Amino acid sequence: MKVRSSIKSLKNQPGSQVVRRRGRVFVINKLNPRWKGRQG
């Protein structure tokens, strides 16, 4: 999982979803788990 200040490039990947958990913004991608990330 990557920790980024901006997850814009992660959410633009095909198959990615933006999810808020515990006050943090996560990007999860079932198609390509390489693009998992968290902001902040």
Side-chain angles (χ1 to χ4, degrees):
M1 173 168 313
K2 298 176 181 65
V3 178
R4 308 280 294 265
S5 57
S6 173
I7 55 171
K8 194 176 204 175
S9 60
L10 297 179
K11 81 173 199 287
N12 289 334
Q13 303 300 327
S16 61
Q17 301 170 280
V18 178
V19 182
R20 290 205 62 162
R21 290 181 189 158
R22 301 182 299 277
R24 292 181 172 150
V25 184
F26 290 84
V27 174
I28 53 179
N29 197 326
K30 295 270 169 67
L31 297 179
N32 192 349
R34 211 180 115 198
W35 299 113
K36 260 197 340 188
R38 169 170 82 78
Q39 177 170 331

